[in-house]
Amino acid sequence: MMQTNNENDIRYLQAKRRVKRMKGFYIHATVYVLVNLFIIAGNTQEGESLLNMDNYWTAIFWGIGLLAHGISAFMPNLFLGKDWEERKIRELMDKYK
């Protein structure tokens, strides 16, 4: 079965949106690494040991957020299932007719 231009446009926009989410994750991960290296380096220059757990709380909690961001960027169907967004859009459009 041949796809229409409209179906191709929809798939293109979906792919573009997914690439944008992935790019956002990569930027987030880069900032995470740089900021946490800066924090840890600053703390160790003040005489704290690298083994001191207080140096890592920011990295741990921010890392949890980064993990959630990664899951949403690379596994968007993990929690809501495949095509959930499309089904929900159709449901709301039918509701507001």
Side-chain angles (χ1 to χ4, degrees):
M1 186 169 144
M2 193 170 154
Q3 292 183 342
T4 65
N5 283 340
N6 191 33
E7 289 173 342
N8 287 333
D9 291 344
I10 290 170
R11 290 187 193 285
Y12 172 78
L13 291 174
Q14 289 172 335
K16 186 175 179 180
R17 214 172 33 238
R18 183 137 187 238
V19 167
K20 189 173 183 177
R21 283 191 299 237
M22 293 166 80
K23 180 180 176 185
F25 171 78
Y26 291 136
I27 291 169
H28 186 180
T30 301
V31 171
Y32 168 84
V33 168
L34 294 174
V35 168
N36 283 294
L37 284 175
F38 180 76
I39 289 170
I40 293 167
N43 286 343
T44 56
Q45 283 185 351
E46 292 175 4
E48 288 191 36
S49 168
L50 273 175
L51 300 176
N52 186 351
M53 191 62 185
D54 290 338
N55 290 327
Y56 303 103
W57 288 116
T58 301
I60 291 168
F61 288 114
W62 189 355
I64 292 168
L66 182 63
L67 177 65
H69 189 176
I71 289 171
S72 73
F74 294 100
M75 296 185 282
N77 299 324
L78 182 64
F79 296 112
L80 298 175
K82 188 175 182 182
D83 298 326
W84 174 85
E85 189 174 319
E86 288 299 320
R87 287 193 314 270
K88 197 63 174 174
I89 289 170
R90 275 190 240 111
E91 176 187 320
L92 291 173
M93 286 175 65
D94 291 344
K95 181 179 177 182
Y96 296 123
K97 278 186 178 178

